[in-house]
Amino acid sequence: MPRFYARRRLSVAAAAAALISSVGLFNAPTASAALPTPVSAATARTYLASLTVAPEDRTGYDRDLFPHWITQSGACNTREVVLKRDGTNVQQDSSCAATSGSWYSVYDGATWTAASDLDIDHLVPLAEAWDSGAGAWTTSRRQSFANDLTRPQLIAVTDNVNQAKGDQDPATWMPSRTAYRCTYVRAWVQVKYYYGLSVDSAEKSALQNHLASC
């Protein structure tokens, strides 16, 4: 039987954990994530206007239906490729695992020197995609979505911050660094537009508000 997971919502405890995790970290952004540059705010507004507005289909989300961290080349899987791309002076062993480097998390402004402190965030979460139309996709298309290195969909960020985000959309979660929010919503709209995913009314309103100030 497939395993189903309830949609996670931001909790006070999760938010506190994300805050605590950044205490004592390096403050200077010695590395910056190399997310593929999203479309302009003007293009994002055009894309957003064309997206279907529909309630989310919360009939159940099975993460196993989104094959992720597939092999990209040699011994390197998607996670390892993003860690290499988004870090500075990243060294990898023969299995492609990052053994050293520096990573700047654009969501919260923290800098890390251990790959274990990073999650690879699906900017549009897998569960959000499922609720917005991916439930009707083939497994092959879901695999492409979960490992997309071409669109601005995958980014290395502080693990606790990614866990606090869960599968929330911009109506209920945004990066704490306000300087990154315009990039975030432009990327969100681009990914949803490319994959033909819908938005719910609260999500669309939040995206419109953020894009208006970009």
Side-chain angles (χ1 to χ4, degrees):
M1 293 292 289
R3 291 174 291 134
F4 293 95
Y5 301 85
R7 290 175 60 85
R8 292 173 290 169
R9 297 299 173 191
L10 182 62
S11 68
V12 173
L19 178 62
I20 292 169
S21 71
S22 63
V23 174
L25 299 179
F26 304 104
N27 292 319
T30 57
S32 77
L35 182 81
T37 303
V39 297
S40 68
T43 298
R45 286 190 285 268
T46 299
Y47 284 178
L48 179 59
S50 71
L51 295 183
T52 299
V53 179
E56 292 186 346
D57 176 20
R58 299 186 185 178
T59 57
Y61 154 60
D62 183 357
R63 187 176 177 85
D64 291 341
L65 293 177
F66 288 84
H68 53 288
W69 308 163
I70 62 172
T71 299
Q72 293 290 341
S73 64
C76 302
N77 66 26
T78 306
R79 171 182 165 82
E80 293 154 348
V81 169
V82 177
L83 283 172
K84 176 73 171 179
R85 182 199 72 186
D86 288 4
T88 295
N89 298 324
V90 177
Q91 300 298 313
Q92 297 171 305
D93 63 19
S94 60
S95 299
C96 209
T99 57
S100 64
S102 178
W103 292 268
Y104 177 68
S105 172
V106 292
Y107 285 1
D108 59 329
T111 298
W112 301 93
T113 56
S116 58
D117 289 320
L118 283 299
D119 276 355
I120 306 305
D121 181 38
H122 289 93
L123 193 136
V124 175
L126 303 183
E128 168 68 22
W130 178 275
D131 292 345
S132 304
W137 292 352
T138 63
T139 300
S140 176
R141 185 162 177 78
R142 286 191 288 266
Q143 175 175 295
S144 296
F145 178 83
N147 298 275
D148 192 343
L149 295 169
T150 303
R151 262 64 54 180
Q153 164 66 347
L154 297 173
I155 186 169
V157 296
T158 302
D159 54 3
N160 286 342
V161 172
N162 182 52
Q163 292 154 25
K165 171 187 171 181
D167 60 4
Q168 297 178 92
D169 67 36
T172 54
W173 189 92
M174 288 290 290
S176 61
R177 282 187 65 241
T178 57
Y180 197 71
R181 290 179 178 179
C182 182
T183 301
Y184 185 82
V185 294
R186 286 157 46 210
W188 184 283
V189 172
Q190 180 180 347
V191 170
K192 282 224 159 177
Y193 177 83
Y194 179 83
Y195 284 97
L197 296 169
S198 63
V199 291
D200 62 45
S201 57
E203 176 188 355
K204 181 174 183 178
S205 178
L207 290 166
Q208 287 173 325
N209 290 338
H210 285 293
L211 286 171
S213 62
C214 285

